[in-house]
Amino acid sequence: LSVVIPVYNEGESLGELHGELADVARQQQYDLELVFVDDGSTDGSWAEIERLASQDPRVQGVRFRRNFGKAAALRAGFQAARGEVVFTLDADLQDDPHELPRFLEQMNTGLDVVSGWKQVRHDPWHKVGPSRVFNWLVGWLTGVRLHDHNCGFKCYRREIFDEIRLYGELHRFVPVLAAARGWRVGEIAVVG
Ligand code: UDP
Ligand code: MG
């Protein structure tokens, strides 16, 4: 199993995130690989990634010269990842690593992509409203009806990325691109 984490100025949260991931790996006895991709951070993120890597052989770091955006960061992470199954989660502690087993349960029902859905959102109405419209519109246009296309917390069979190349804003549409190529896509509600 691999976890790919795009990092843009998240130095403060990386230690805690690593601790939680290590916790889940221990509880579930996962053979876990952690790929932190520093997308040109200007804070102490890279020093923090190096510190984690020196303490934990499961940690790998990839560093960009400058900020290339989340899709590029994820793509570099998928290229570095060796697990058959790859999770992505945001570095800002808004995604709870303790959900990993539930993603895997869904994958084991025969899915190739499982997308997270923050069913209960802690965001103000001016963010929730447009997000509802966006999700409805994407679902209507593409036929891939997910509640939360934008959620950064997802789980993929890695082979998918032999066929899909991410750039620009495409990281939001992996389930759509994957479904169009015949991969099976599902979702689970996650705590947000
Ligand atoms: N991120 C990144 N490059 C960027 C912007 C963001 O790698 O140019 C990372 C960021 O560190 C976080 C994830 O992508 O781990 C999601 O970013 P953010 O929380 O800003 O997005 P939102 O949650 O609002 O979608
Ligand atoms: Mg976020």
Side-chain angles (χ1 to χ4, degrees):
L1 295 178
S2 301
V3 181
V4 171
I5 304 150
V7 176
Y8 184 54
N9 294 338
E10 310 270 11
E12 304 273 286
S13 42
L14 297 182
E16 187 176 338
L17 180 61
H18 172 266
E20 284 178 20
L21 285 160
D23 221 41
V24 176
R26 185 161 10 85
Q27 284 167 12
Q28 306 288 332
Q29 302 185 330
Y30 290 154
D31 184 8
L32 207 62
E33 169 195 59
L34 305 177
V35 183
F36 289 92
V37 185
D38 179 1
D39 184 16
S41 297
T42 51
D43 69 344
S45 291
W46 181 248
E48 192 61 11
I49 292 168
E50 281 188 313
R51 185 182 68 82
L52 294 170
S54 71
Q55 291 172 358
D56 181 347
R58 296 171 298 184
V59 172
Q60 267 196 74
V62 176
R63 188 186 196 184
F64 286 175
R65 278 185 311 278
R66 63 158 174 91
N67 181 243
F68 279 92
K70 189 175 177 182
L74 290 173
R75 181 148 76 106
F78 294 133
Q79 278 165 0
R82 282 157 307 181
E84 238 172 84
V85 169
V86 183
F87 293 90
T88 57
L89 56 85
D90 289 354
D92 54 9
L93 301 171
Q94 286 173 3
D95 300 328
D96 182 358
H98 293 92
E99 301 278 15
L100 260 55
R102 293 186 52 243
F103 276 92
L104 285 182
E105 263 170 44
Q106 276 301 305
M107 290 292 275
N108 288 337
T109 66
L111 296 177
D112 304 303
V113 180
V114 177
S115 185
W117 165 29
K118 298 230 165 114
Q119 193 168 17
V120 180
R121 299 242 327 220
H122 301 293
D123 291 315
W125 63 269
H126 63 268
K127 283 185 99 171
V128 176
S131 156
R132 287 239 169 90
V133 174
F134 175 84
N135 284 306
W136 176 84
L137 194 62
V138 174
W140 180 66
L141 287 171
T142 66
V144 180
R145 292 175 199 281
L146 299 177
H147 289 91
D148 196 356
H149 284 272
N150 271 323
C151 188
F153 203 1
K154 292 191 172 74
C155 179
Y156 312 93
R157 212 164 292 292
R158 201 192 42 181
E159 285 169 83
I160 288 176
F161 295 98
D162 297 341
E163 299 183 15
I164 295 173
R165 188 169 158 271
L166 295 185
Y167 56 88
E169 294 298 305
L170 280 187
H171 56 281
R172 306 175 197 282
F173 301 108
V174 178
V176 169
L177 298 171
R181 303 190 59 93
W183 301 98
R184 289 149 300 177
V185 176
E187 76 178 348
I188 60 168
V190 295
V191 296

